[in-house]
Amino acid sequence: MRPRSSRRSRAGNTIADVAREAGVSLMTVSRVMNGKANVREETRERVEAAIKALNYSPSAAARNLAAASEVRIGLLYSNPSAGYLNEFLVGSLDQASRANVQLVVQLCENKEDRAEIVRRLIDGGVDGLILPPPLCDADDIHQLLQEAEVPAVVVASGRPPVFLSSVNIDDRAAAAAMTLHLVKLGHKRIGFISGNPDQTASALRLYGYLDALGEAGQVSDPALVVEGLFTYRSGLDAAQQLLALEERPTAIFASNDDMAAAVVSVAHRMGLDVPGDLTVVGFDDAPQATTTWPELTTIRQPIADMSRAAVIQLVEDIRTSRDGRRLAPRHAQMTFELIQRESDAAPAA
Amino acid sequence: MRPRSSRRSRAGNTIADVAREAGVSLMTVSRVMNGKANVREETRERVEAAIKALNYSPSAAARNLAAASEVRIGLLYSNPSAGYLNEFLVGSLDQASRANVQLVVQLCENKEDRAEIVRRLIDGGVDGLILPPPLCDADDIHQLLQEAEVPAVVVASGRPPVFLSSVNIDDRAAAAAMTLHLVKLGHKRIGFISGNPDQTASALRLYGYLDALGEAGQVSDPALVVEGLFTYRSGLDAAQQLLALEERPTAIFASNDDMAAAVVSVAHRMGLDVPGDLTVVGFDDAPQATTTWPELTTIRQPIADMSRAAVIQLVEDIRTSRDGRRLAPRHAQMTFELIQRESDAAPAA
DNA sequence: TGCTTCGATGATAGCGCTATCTCTGATGAG
DNA sequence: CTCATCAGAGATAGCGCTATCATCGAAGCA
């Protein structure tokens, strides 16, 4: 009787092939692949050569199964600006495939069925959740996660709950840096369009603006601060309000690029040149920032890096809690960058 | 000696638990889950009850491994507009997780290392590739795939290679529909900004525009057709060119929304009202279309559906070729939709 | 020199599931 | 009444990998 036909389907080689090629045991190959310590340098090199020679790549399924470490994480998003989500997805996907974890991307639009969706994800076997803005500030979700003892990482929240890990930039310092930049250009009347009050980062950016003004010894005229919602439309309204002011600002700092683009649009329709008559700056370095004219000076958040970091942190949290160890949420802070493009200039004399 | 500690980590139950609960064998449970035939109705119900009772959900890893049906597909993207990629990703991710296949998302920016990247993906064990625009038209990649006999699906290409499956909308018909819409509004001089000549869809959209003009019995003035590159910046140039014309067009149809937004911007800076003095329409229904003022009338492509369809088609192709059957590429066509917003109107009297 | 100690490596047993074969009655043809 | 046939169900052997324990020299030490 001939051996029953193999059930293999992957064209690729298996770890056994590599072991044979290198003249070592399976385990040694496994150790090399996982970067374990106890392998002699010479052996390691031999195995690596064999891996390269056979063009071997391990089966994620088998790995997960054997290591009993199948990790599935959910990425819950609502409707942030498209560019943000895009970059966020790319980063987390990349990291997820690197870390060999399955990423479940779930849309969650209305507030009503949030709880339902989260519960279903958890019941469905997700081991942890990533919450990009604006869901990063959804208290009801936090609550749910704490009760279910499901680890999660909130990203770009201004006020992350203590029991969840978080990844942020220092919104306050970033807004202060941008404001200071405007002050240094010589602007005395700097308008500010704040973000959606539902998102905690909004307040931080406002504080940053105020910090810088204070530091520069400028008084902050309350009329120069207008509330927006992070949407283009709200930016339109806010810009109209600011530019209708008797003593018009010479610069406007919008809390995100969508609103900044709206400001530019309004300025143009009023016949104002940007940046000749009005400096406009944004925040986020969204695609908007470069698909508008003039291109926007803005604050760059390393979104992809942040989402990557979130995945790493979450996987760590999940493994911790699986081992029965106590979860110790960590709060990471990434660095921002002020990107100067063409929408800012010194005020007209 | 007590049994070595279990390596299980999943909190969830295994198929064995379900089998015990239902009082049947493992295989019977497996059969029920996979909807196989030979199971008595009564038994099936008992098993289903047990599954529900234990809140059982199978391990994807184990399934893949056992069925030897691990499928990994690569999504190769370069830098399309952010909104497009975003929607594309969401659709394909969703379908990938549904179909239990692993999605590898890979950036491929410069033309030089394309071949290298594709080769690495293939060697790395990807079973098939999805090519959204603009890579859908990369002949060198097609070549490579054909040689390596790797299935792939090109999305939104104007001229898909016969040996690869494709998913499209009818760009020509869509452009014709939009042009006809403008004609019906009463426009006699309709400017057209074509897309990047490297992308085959560009020509189709141009033909559609010409088709409709012909059908409406209008002559097409060559001066009214300007070449763009699908970028905002190229739209700026094209708009300037069109609006500098002695006999100015009363409407401009841009081949995508980025360029349409640029047209609006130029029009505003020239003091023209949109749509009062100039109608501007786009194509794609990108996020741009609604984060600009006025919101753009455009053609909606069902991008997410298209990417979902691409994944489905690709998985089918992969299984076909694994079974050793001959690959029979299929070309699917999805339906578009003309979305009327606020950027179009009848020409001024 | 004899014996512990330890680092490098090998052997083996699963991880949770499905493919495949085997078994068991019930059924119907002859 | 016997025997092939067949549907429903069980038993068993992996899928490709890693955890765990066993092994085996070489070094360290008294």
Side-chain angles (χ1 to χ4, degrees):
Chain A
M1 198 173 75
R2 71 166 177 65
R4 71 185 53 187
S5 73
S6 162
R7 277 157 54 192
R8 287 188 51 193
S9 72
R10 293 198 351 128
N13 298 298
T14 77
I15 198 174
D17 300 318
V18 178
R20 203 175 315 115
E21 172 86 10
V24 297
S25 73
L26 299 186
M27 267 323 292
T28 304
V29 177
S30 173
R31 288 191 181 102
V32 170
M33 285 196 321
N34 293 289
K36 297 288 170 73
N38 306 337
V39 181
R40 221 186 332 157
E41 191 50 39
E42 183 215 316
T43 316
R44 175 183 308 279
E45 276 163 18
R46 202 140 41 92
V47 172
E48 273 163 0
I51 290 178
K52 197 161 284 178
L54 295 178
N55 219 315
Y56 166 77
S57 97
S59 148
R63 264 179 130 159
N64 274 330
L65 191 53
S69 69
E70 195 174 6
V71 172
R72 216 182 316 176
I73 68 190
L75 170 53
L76 202 62
Y77 74 99
S78 79
N79 50 353
S81 59
Y84 190 94
L85 182 57
N86 177 27
E87 197 173 342
F88 199 94
L89 278 177
V90 169
S92 33
L93 278 167
D94 176 54
Q95 188 58 45
S97 85
R98 245 180 248 284
N100 200 12
V101 309
Q102 200 187 336
L103 192 67
V104 180
V105 179
Q106 175 66 247
L107 173 64
C108 172
E109 284 204 289
N110 9 28
K111 206 161 177 172
E112 293 74 49
D113 23 72
R114 267 189 200 169
E116 178 56 24
I117 288 182
V118 172
R119 227 182 297 273
R120 188 155 26 193
L121 274 177
I122 295 173
D123 290 347
V126 229
D127 306 292
L129 237 51
I130 293 188
L131 299 173
L135 259 23
C136 58
D137 290 321
D139 285 335
D140 51 336
I141 296 184
H142 298 164
Q143 204 64 37
L144 227 54
L145 292 171
Q146 187 176 28
E147 279 161 19
E149 296 188 45
V150 171
V153 177
V154 300
V155 180
S157 165
R159 182 180 35 75
V162 285
F163 53 91
L164 295 180
S165 287
S166 71
V167 177
N168 292 295
I169 61 162
D170 187 339
D171 282 279
R172 186 164 182 164
M178 177 60 89
T179 308
L180 213 57
H181 170 69
L182 298 177
V183 167
K184 280 189 184 147
L185 280 173
H187 291 279
K188 299 269 189 281
R189 288 187 63 74
I190 303 174
F192 184 81
I193 304 179
S194 69
N196 189 325
D198 282 358
Q199 293 182 232
T200 50
S202 303
L204 293 185
R205 293 181 192 176
L206 175 56
Y207 291 148
Y209 160 80
L210 296 172
D211 287 350
L213 287 189
E215 204 174 311
Q218 293 197 10
V219 286
S220 50
D221 181 348
L224 288 177
V225 176
V226 177
E227 186 174 304
L229 294 169
F230 280 137
T231 64
Y232 184 85
R233 197 156 280 273
S234 72
L236 246 30
D237 297 340
Q240 250 138 18
Q241 197 174 327
L242 281 171
L243 295 176
L245 247 41
E246 219 160 300
E247 213 179 334
R248 209 164 55 196
T250 58
I252 295 183
F253 177 10
S255 289
N256 76 348
D257 290 335
D258 279 26
M259 296 194 296
V263 175
V264 171
S265 168
V266 170
H268 281 163
R269 268 182 289 156
M270 290 178 66
L272 296 175
D273 180 54
V274 175
D277 302 319
L278 180 71
T279 283
V280 179
V281 297
F283 201 109
D284 279 353
D285 197 21
Q288 275 291 343
T290 49
T291 61
T292 196
W293 196 92
E295 296 191 352
L296 298 173
T297 290
T298 190
I299 294 285
R300 167 160 171 69
Q301 292 195 57
I303 301 173
D305 289 345
M306 289 169 77
S307 66
R308 248 185 285 265
V311 172
I312 293 174
Q313 180 64 46
L314 182 54
V315 169
E316 202 170 294
D317 285 356
I318 289 171
R319 298 214 201 279
T320 301
S321 80
R322 271 193 186 166
D323 291 355
R325 283 177 286 146
R326 249 187 84 52
L327 214 58
R330 283 194 316 190
H331 303 275
Q333 199 153 77
M334 320 279 291
T335 56
F336 60 86
E337 191 182 351
L338 196 161
I339 301 205
Q340 187 166 12
R341 295 213 179 84
E342 301 155 5
S343 65
D344 63 318
Chain B
M1 196 173 75
R2 72 166 175 63
R4 70 184 54 185
S5 73
S6 162
R7 276 156 57 191
R8 285 189 50 193
S9 72
R10 293 194 355 126
N13 298 298
T14 77
I15 199 171
D17 300 319
V18 177
R20 202 175 314 113
E21 173 86 9
V24 297
S25 73
L26 299 184
M27 268 322 292
T28 303
V29 177
S30 173
R31 287 191 183 104
V32 170
M33 285 196 321
N34 293 289
K36 296 289 170 75
N38 307 335
V39 181
R40 223 186 326 159
E41 191 51 37
E42 184 214 315
T43 316
R44 177 183 307 278
E45 276 163 18
R46 202 140 41 90
V47 172
E48 272 163 0
I51 289 177
K52 197 162 284 177
L54 294 178
N55 214 317
Y56 166 77
S57 95
S59 147
R63 262 178 131 158
N64 273 331
L65 191 53
S69 69
E70 194 175 7
V71 173
R72 215 183 315 177
I73 70 190
L75 170 52
L76 202 62
Y77 74 99
S78 78
N79 48 352
S81 59
Y84 191 95
L85 182 58
N86 177 27
E87 197 173 343
F88 200 94
L89 278 177
V90 169
S92 34
L93 278 167
D94 176 53
Q95 188 57 44
S97 85
R98 243 180 248 286
N100 201 11
V101 309
Q102 199 188 336
L103 193 67
V104 180
V105 179
Q106 174 66 250
L107 173 63
C108 171
E109 284 204 289
N110 11 25
K111 206 161 176 173
E112 292 74 49
D113 26 70
R114 266 189 200 168
E116 178 55 25
I117 289 181
V118 172
R119 226 183 296 275
R120 188 152 30 192
L121 274 177
I122 296 174
D123 291 347
V126 193
D127 305 293
L129 237 51
I130 292 187
L131 299 174
L135 260 22
C136 57
D137 289 321
D139 286 334
D140 52 335
I141 296 184
H142 299 163
Q143 204 64 37
L144 227 55
L145 293 172
Q146 187 176 28
E147 279 161 19
E149 296 188 46
V150 171
V153 177
V154 300
V155 180
S157 166
R159 181 178 37 71
V162 285
F163 53 91
L164 294 180
S165 287
S166 71
V167 177
N168 293 295
I169 60 162
D170 187 339
D171 283 278
R172 187 164 181 165
M178 178 59 90
T179 309
L180 213 57
H181 170 69
L182 298 177
V183 168
K184 280 187 184 151
L185 279 173
H187 292 280
K188 298 271 191 280
R189 288 188 62 76
I190 302 174
F192 184 82
I193 305 179
S194 68
N196 189 324
D198 282 356
Q199 292 183 235
T200 51
S202 303
L204 294 184
R205 293 183 191 174
L206 175 57
Y207 292 146
Y209 161 79
L210 295 173
D211 287 351
L213 287 189
E215 203 174 313
Q218 293 197 10
V219 288
S220 50
D221 180 350
L224 288 178
V225 176
V226 178
E227 188 174 302
L229 294 168
F230 281 138
T231 63
Y232 183 85
R233 196 157 281 273
S234 72
L236 247 30
D237 297 340
Q240 251 139 15
Q241 196 174 327
L242 282 171
L243 294 177
L245 248 40
E246 220 159 299
E247 211 178 334
R248 210 164 55 196
T250 58
I252 295 182
F253 177 10
S255 289
N256 77 348
D257 290 336
D258 279 26
M259 296 193 297
V263 175
V264 171
S265 168
V266 170
H268 281 163
R269 267 181 289 155
M270 291 178 67
L272 296 173
D273 179 53
V274 176
D277 302 319
L278 180 72
T279 283
V280 179
V281 298
F283 201 110
D284 280 353
D285 197 19
Q288 274 291 342
T290 49
T291 60
T292 196
W293 196 92
E295 296 191 353
L296 298 173
T297 290
T298 189
I299 296 284
R300 167 159 170 69
Q301 293 196 55
I303 301 172
D305 289 345
M306 290 169 76
S307 66
R308 247 185 287 264
V311 172
I312 293 174
Q313 180 65 45
L314 183 54
V315 170
E316 203 169 293
D317 286 356
I318 289 171
R319 298 216 200 277
T320 301
S321 80
R322 270 192 189 168
D323 291 356
R325 282 178 286 147
R326 248 187 87 48
L327 215 57
R330 284 192 317 190
H331 303 275
Q333 199 153 78
M334 320 281 288
T335 56
F336 61 86
E337 192 183 351
L338 196 160
I339 301 205
Q340 188 166 13
R341 295 213 178 83
E342 302 156 4
S343 65
D344 63 320

